[in-house]
Amino acid sequence: MAVWLRIVMVLALLWPVFVECKGNIRHYKFNVMMRNITRLCSTKPTVTVNGKFPGPTIYAREDDTLLIKVVNQVHYNLTIHWHGVKQIRTCWADGPAYIAQCPIQPGESYVYNFTVTEQRGTLLWHAHILWLRATVHGAIVILPKLDLPYPFPKPKKEVVIILGEWWKSDVEVVIDEATQSGLPPNISDAYTINGLPGPVCTCLSQEGFNFLVELGKKYLLRIINAALNEELFFKIAGHNLTVVEVDAAYVKPFETDTILTTPGQTTNVILSANLESGKYLMVTSPFMDSPILVNNKTATATLQYIGTNISSTTFTVPPPKNTTFVAIKYMDSLRSLNSKIYPAKVPMKIDHSLFFTISLGLNPCASCYRGFRLVAAINNVTFVMPSVSLLNAHFFNKNGVFTDDFPGNPPYAFDYTGIPPENLRTMEGTRLYRLDYNSNVQLIMQDTGLLSPENHPMHLHGFNFFVVGRGRGNFDPKEDAKNFNLVDPVERNTINAPSGGWVAIRFRANNPGVWFLHCHLEVHTTWGLKMAFVVDNGNGPNEYLLPPPKDLPKC
């Protein structure tokens, strides 16, 4: 083992040389700083990257290596996650605090060093500690290799559209107050499109995002949901959108007037500017089909044809927030491209068949309001964050940080979407599930009615997965498995387990490291709706996790 470790360390030193021969090296610098930002006619100090909200867009081409120096100039601990980047053998650059790394301390810096492999499309980056990703986020644009054109007509122009949320208050104060009380945090005050809510009744002077189009041309819109806690509808008045890619994976093109995107998901659509000259409203609003309080407001922006003399705007109305049939129709339309160049490599032989229940619960808390705290759990385990990095503990075989006995099935069976059990307490622990290298995993994620059913956008770090099935009610392993799509299921890194239903995914564990699985609703992550897989090394030199970089932050 010592010989192997020395070989791996030598390869790590030579890694940039190998990568440079394969693609380009791109350098970025992120200065994380405070800046006063005004929204909704109110100004507050805001954590930003390079003074921008949203932050800068990262551009790369498939096979490029990115060296991104993050300098922490704020008083918070900080990490950045490159959401959806597979991080092949570079789990140290993945970013979730206390999972893949210790946070960057105030006044310190860290260079994230990773290569974009077998991916092209749109992803996002965001802070992965506290609630800082409310304003610390931006786009990742991955262009295909120079000799590989898009599998659709090349657009005249590409436009990044980032959907988000805005609080007038400091978001860290919002979640701190909620944590102390044990109750849900205050909902946001507005949604944003590229950082702007557009005019609202309390601030009519607030302008919205506006982009110009030329009649007869096509545009590629790279749409990102960077919101903390809401699934969002998106549409443009009078225009259909052709969906061509989600989560940096091509799909069979289809037309829709409304897309649905959950926090962490990305969607590329083709917009055909084929209407009369004028201005057209762009809107985003929440989707929530459970009895959960949400910010039921609409953010607006404008699409404007070049040379238009029309001052009026063509309006549109977003779907009502509980329009489940619109959401289901959209999700059912997503299929992998599954072409000769971009095949859908769905795992067929399953080595680990897992069943995870997703639930809310109530745990005792003497200092909390009413004596209990709202928590969340997977298989009744509320995840406890460690004080050191799980990846570091795994790599150096440190005992006492975590156990690898996370349950592959619920501790007891019940009617998951029916009448809940009386006991709503959960177990607490830092428990991981261990996977052999290159093993195939099938995971059923089942929503439950404990406290309330709800959509849960589940994000898996380090991998793409195939969504082979989904449905309402309780998963039936005999009947529902017969209808799995094993031919062209959509490939994603984030998928919502539907309210009162289930979703089935498959992936191959071919990336060594410790990989986070969590709900991308920040409130649920805070409550403990998370776990991690530890994927062991394989047998070959390209199947080993690389050693940690010298500047890796320490706890």
Side-chain angles (χ1 to χ4, degrees):
M1 180 59 69
V3 174
W4 263 116
L5 186 58
R6 285 197 294 270
I7 293 173
V8 169
M9 288 183 173
V10 170
L11 289 173
L13 293 174
L14 295 175
W15 184 252
V17 177
F18 297 150
V19 171
E20 188 171 10
C21 296
K22 192 175 181 181
N24 294 320
I25 296 179
R26 298 178 185 250
H27 295 264
Y28 285 88
K29 186 174 183 180
F30 279 15
N31 288 311
V32 182
M33 61 180 68
M34 302 299 297
R35 181 190 168 194
N36 286 335
I37 291 183
T38 301
R39 296 290 185 271
L40 305 177
C41 293
S42 176
T43 302
K44 71 172 183 179
T46 305
V47 184
T48 68
V49 171
N50 298 347
K52 298 179 179 180
F53 167 66
T57 297
I58 290 175
Y59 289 91
R61 194 172 291 280
E62 186 180 351
D63 288 340
D64 282 354
T65 293
L66 290 167
L67 298 176
I68 306 170
K69 183 176 183 178
V70 177
V71 182
N72 185 3
Q73 300 176 1
V74 299
H75 62 280
Y76 298 107
N77 288 343
L78 178 79
T79 68
I80 301 291
H81 170 50
W82 318 98
H83 184 113
V85 175
K86 293 179 183 178
Q87 299 289 357
I88 304 297
R89 303 177 63 212
T90 54
C91 190
W92 307 103
D94 190 43
Y98 302 106
I99 306 297
Q101 68 167 99
C102 295
I104 307 168
Q105 306 292 324
E108 300 296 324
S109 65
Y110 176 46
V111 177
Y112 289 91
N113 182 348
F114 57 90
T115 300
V116 180
T117 304
E118 296 182 355
Q119 291 179 283
R120 76 292 305 168
T122 305
L123 295 171
L124 73 151
W125 59 263
H126 60 77
H128 211 301
I129 188 170
L130 307 173
W131 277 31
L132 295 182
R133 75 176 174 94
T135 55
V136 180
H137 60 249
I140 303 174
V141 173
I142 306 171
L143 302 172
K145 297 176 184 179
L146 285 172
D147 58 343
L148 282 179
Y150 291 134
F152 47 82
K154 185 177 180 179
K156 173 182 173 59
K157 185 179 179 180
E158 302 182 6
V159 181
V160 171
I161 296 178
I162 300 179
L163 313 178
E165 288 182 272
W166 181 263
W167 279 259
K168 286 186 177 181
S169 303
D170 183 334
V171 290
E172 295 310 318
V173 173
V174 170
I175 186 56
D176 285 348
E177 290 177 347
T179 300
Q180 292 174 13
S181 69
L183 298 178
N186 293 335
I187 61 175
S188 59
D189 296 295
Y191 299 111
T192 57
I193 300 176
N194 283 351
L196 300 169
V200 296
C201 60
T202 57
C203 185
L204 294 176
S205 61
Q206 173 72 69
E207 295 184 355
F209 171 69
N210 179 69
F211 78 94
L212 301 176
V213 298
E214 184 179 345
L215 181 64
K217 303 298 183 180
K218 295 183 182 295
Y219 296 81
L220 180 67
L221 308 185
R222 299 179 177 269
I223 303 167
I224 298 169
N225 186 343
L228 257 67
N229 293 315
E230 305 297 350
E231 297 186 85
L232 296 171
F233 290 120
F234 174 86
K235 65 186 300 187
I236 302 175
H239 293 76
N240 278 345
L241 305 170
T242 302
V243 180
V244 294
E245 176 257 310
V246 295
D247 291 2
Y250 294 132
V251 298
K252 290 182 172 66
F254 68 94
E255 274 197 4
T256 180
D257 65 348
T258 303
I259 74 163
L260 173 69
T261 177
T262 73
Q265 288 185 339
T266 61
T267 310
N268 281 6
V269 301
I270 297 293
L271 167 75
S272 296
N274 53 9
L275 298 184
E276 296 179 357
S277 63
K279 298 179 182 178
Y280 296 84
L281 199 67
M282 184 187 316
V283 297
T284 190
S285 63
F287 166 60
M288 173 58 72
D289 58 355
S290 297
I292 304 293
L293 181 65
V294 297
N295 168 9
N296 196 23
K297 298 177 182 176
T298 301
T300 60
T302 307
L303 179 153
Q304 181 176 343
Y305 281 76
I306 294 174
T308 183
N309 295 318
I310 301 174
S311 59
S312 62
T313 301
T314 300
F315 289 91
T316 188
V317 177
K321 67 181 178 69
N322 61 348
T323 316
T324 305
F325 74 90
V326 173
I328 292 177
K329 180 182 177 181
Y330 174 80
M331 289 184 287
D332 286 348
S333 299
L334 292 168
R335 292 284 187 273
S336 286
L337 188 59
N338 195 22
S339 65
K340 184 177 181 180
I341 300 177
Y342 305 107
K345 299 178 181 179
V346 185
M348 295 297 175
K349 178 181 175 294
I350 300 302
D351 303 299
H352 297 266
S353 184
L354 307 177
F355 186 87
F356 287 1
T357 54
I358 300 171
S359 61
L360 304 181
L362 297 173
N363 284 354
C365 173
S367 62
C368 294
Y369 181 71
R370 294 183 178 175
F372 61 79
R373 178 188 304 283
L374 279 166
V375 294
I378 300 176
N379 279 353
N380 207 44
V381 177
T382 296
F383 192 83
V384 176
M385 293 294 285
S387 57
V388 297
S389 160
L390 293 177
L391 183 61
N392 186 278
H394 163 62
F395 188 82
F396 292 104
N397 295 314
K398 294 181 180 179
N399 295 322
V401 178
F402 68 86
T403 60
D404 59 1
D405 60 349
F406 189 89
N409 289 278
Y412 59 92
F414 60 97
D415 184 359
Y416 305 117
T417 56
I419 299 175
E422 293 183 3
N423 185 2
L424 297 178
R425 289 191 61 171
T426 68
M427 299 179 289
E428 297 183 346
T430 310
R431 303 168 67 178
L432 278 59
Y433 191 94
R434 188 173 294 274
L435 296 170
D436 294 331
Y437 182 85
N438 231 21
S439 58
N440 291 329
V441 181
Q442 176 174 288
L443 171 58
I444 311 298
M445 291 180 282
Q446 172 76 58
D447 182 41
T448 67
L450 275 69
L451 292 184
S452 176
E454 188 174 350
N455 289 322
H456 296 278
M458 302 298 294
H459 172 47
L460 177 61
H461 291 226
F463 303 94
N464 279 8
F465 52 74
F466 291 96
V467 184
V468 298
R470 59 187 298 121
R472 309 290 282 187
N474 297 331
F475 175 73
D476 185 330
K478 292 184 178 180
E479 296 302 319
D480 289 328
K482 295 177 182 178
N483 298 317
F484 281 176
N485 177 7
L486 303 179
V487 177
D488 61 351
V490 66
E491 185 177 354
R492 309 212 71 147
N493 62 62
T494 306
I495 188 64
N496 62 328
S499 175
W502 55 271
V503 64
I505 67 172
R506 290 187 178 187
F507 66 96
R508 174 166 290 130
N510 57 359
N511 193 6
V514 176
W515 303 107
F516 214 14
L517 171 70
H518 63 97
C519 181
H520 221 267
L521 301 181
E522 199 65 40
V523 59
H524 289 169
T525 299
T526 302
W527 290 347
L529 211 169
K530 47 197 173 187
M531 58 83 65
F533 292 102
V534 54
V535 179
D536 289 325
N537 288 327
N539 296 318
N542 293 324
E543 298 175 353
Y544 270 73
L545 174 67
L546 293 170
K550 292 182 179 180
D551 65 336
L552 185 72
K554 294 179 173 57
C555 290

